[in-house]
Amino acid sequence: MKLIIIIILTTFFSPIVLAQAVSNDLIVNIAGLLNSDINELSEGYTKPLINAVILGHNAPLATSTKTLKPFEFQLRAALTVVNVPSSEETFTPSQLNFFEVSSAPTILGPSDVVEIQAVEYLRNLGIDASFEFPSGIKADLPNEMVLLPSFAASVGLLAGTEIQLNYSPEYSAEGVSISSKGIGIKHVIDRYLQIDKESKLQAALTLHYITSNMLYSENNSDNAAAFDTTSFIGNAILSYNTKFLSFFGGLGYFSSNYTFEMNNLVQLKGEFAADLNPLIQDYSIDETKAAPFAFIGSNINLLFVNLVVKYNIQEYDSII
C-alpha cells in the first residue's frame, strides 16, 4: 500500500517540478532577449545626440595657423552649429525579439512620448511588456540645430608654439545639459616644409584633448541618462594669409571613447513581472568612435577683433 501511494505522489508532482524548472529557464531566456531589445532601442534613441556632441567639439579647435608671440595672451569665443539631418529624428530598429516597430523616434525628434507594446507571444505567456521612448528635444532646439558655445584661452610659447585651454559652459535644452573642457597645443611647421618666411602660405599642426559630459532627465519622470567622453583630436592646417584676411583649410582626425548609461525604459506587468524585473538591466555602453574630417574657413582681422567662419565636413556638418 505504501509503495502504491509513493508511486502515485511521484507521478503527480514530477510534472509540476519539471514545469517549474522550465518556467525558470524560460524567464531567464526572455530576460536576456528583452535586454537585447532594450540595448537596440536605447542606442537608436540616443545615438544622434551622442554623435552631435562628439562632432560638435571638433569645429572650434583649429581656426588659424598663426601662433601668438611668447607669453602673449588671447581669449576667443565661438558658437558651433551642428547640422543634424532631419532623417536622424527617427531610426529603424533591427534584430528585435519582442517588439515590432518599423520607425521609432530619437532624442532629437518631437516632444511626444511614444510607447510600443511587446508582441502577442509574451502576452500569451502572461507577460505584458512595453517600451517608452521619452520626449524628444526637437522643439527646444533653435531651428532644429544643436548649438555648442565655447571659449578658448591661448598663450604663446617659444618656437612658434601655442597652448590653448578650451571650455564649453553648460548648455541646456529640454532636460539635456552638455559641457566640456580640454587642452591643446599648436605648432607652426613652416621650417619643416621649407616654406619661405616671406611666403603668405603657412602650415601648422594641432592636437587637443577634450572631455565632455551630458546629463539627461525628463520632467515628471524617472527617465535619466549620463554620457561622458574623452577625445583626442588632431588637425593639419594650411593657410594663405594677408594683413586683414586669411583663408585656411585642412584635414583632421578624432578618436573619442565614450560611456553612456540610461535607466531601463521597459515596463513589465503580469504574472511573471516580479520574476523578470530583477533580471532586466539598464542600458550601458563603453565604445570608441573615430573618423577623419575636413574643414575650410577664413579669418578677418579688424583692429582688436578677429572674426572666424569655419565649415567642418563630417558625418554631421558643423559651422562656427
Side-chain angles (χ1 to χ4, degrees):
M1 183 67 178
K2 290 183 179 179
L3 180 60
I4 296 174
I5 292 174
I6 291 173
I7 293 174
I8 292 174
L9 290 175
T10 302
T11 305
F12 179 75
F13 284 108
S14 292
I16 296 177
V17 174
L18 181 60
Q20 184 62 39
V22 171
S23 296
N24 288 338
D25 289 342
L26 183 60
I27 286 174
V28 171
N29 289 336
I30 289 174
L33 294 174
L34 276 173
N35 285 326
S36 176
D37 286 355
I38 291 171
N39 289 343
E40 176 72 19
L41 293 170
S42 299
E43 181 175 2
Y45 175 76
T46 57
K47 204 63 175 268
L49 183 58
I50 292 175
N51 288 342
V53 173
I54 291 176
L55 296 171
H57 289 318
N58 297 341
L61 301 180
T63 58
S64 172
T65 56
K66 295 180 180 180
T67 55
L68 300 174
K69 297 177 181 179
F71 308 112
E72 185 179 1
F73 176 81
Q74 185 181 68
L75 182 65
R76 285 172 287 182
L79 179 63
T80 302
V81 180
V82 184
N83 183 24
V84 182
S86 58
S87 59
E88 296 292 78
E89 294 177 12
T90 60
F91 73 101
T92 302
S94 62
Q95 300 177 344
L96 294 179
N97 302 291
F98 294 132
F99 297 94
E100 293 180 352
V101 54
S102 58
S103 179
T106 72
I107 193 171
L108 296 182
S111 57
D112 300 326
V113 175
V114 177
E115 183 179 49
I116 58 175
Q117 300 294 324
V119 294
E120 188 177 355
Y121 169 75
L122 282 186
R123 293 195 295 273
N124 291 338
L125 293 176
I127 302 171
D128 186 7
S130 62
F131 186 97
E132 182 179 282
F133 294 94
S135 58
I137 63 173
K138 174 182 176 180
D140 203 48
L141 298 176
N143 295 320
E144 301 179 12
M145 294 184 176
V146 177
L147 305 182
L148 299 173
S150 62
F151 297 92
S154 302
V155 178
L157 301 178
L158 300 174
T161 303
E162 179 180 299
I163 292 291
Q164 187 180 97
L165 298 177
N166 304 94
Y167 174 69
S168 295
E170 185 175 291
Y171 169 74
S172 299
E174 193 64 33
V176 174
S177 62
I178 305 166
S179 62
S180 71
K181 56 186 176 182
I183 187 170
I185 186 170
K186 177 166 64 176
H187 183 66
V188 175
I189 58 172
D190 291 358
R191 60 179 177 273
Y192 310 120
L193 301 178
Q194 298 183 346
I195 297 177
D196 189 271
K197 290 184 178 181
E198 303 301 320
S199 174
K200 293 182 179 180
L201 292 176
Q202 190 175 44
L205 297 176
T206 70
L207 179 64
H208 283 82
Y209 172 75
I210 302 291
T211 65
S212 62
N213 62 77
M214 179 187 76
L215 297 175
Y216 170 77
S217 59
E218 187 181 24
N219 294 332
N220 304 318
S221 170
D222 294 331
N223 294 331
F227 164 71
D228 294 285
T229 181
T230 56
S231 302
F232 288 95
I233 306 164
N235 294 274
I237 321 166
L238 181 67
S239 68
Y240 180 84
N241 305 318
T242 65
K243 185 175 182 180
F244 298 106
L245 183 66
S246 66
F247 299 94
F248 64 89
L251 298 173
Y253 186 85
F254 74 90
S255 178
S256 300
N257 177 259
Y258 63 92
T259 60
F260 190 89
E261 296 179 353
M262 189 173 190
N263 66 317
N264 153 39
L265 299 177
V266 164
Q267 303 295 323
L268 295 172
K269 298 178 183 178
E271 182 179 352
F272 297 104
D275 298 316
L276 272 172
N277 274 317
L279 303 176
I280 301 302
Q281 302 171 357
D282 292 339
Y283 174 57
S284 177
I285 57 172
D286 185 346
E287 294 185 0
T288 297
K289 181 180 179 67
F293 59 91
F295 55 88
I296 56 173
S298 64
N299 284 275
I300 303 175
N301 296 306
L302 301 174
L303 298 177
F304 300 105
V305 179
N306 176 250
L307 302 178
V308 179
V309 177
K310 179 185 178 185
Y311 187 79
N312 261 37
I313 306 166
Q314 51 192 3
E315 183 180 356
Y316 297 168
D317 294 345
S318 57
I319 187 172
I320 63 170

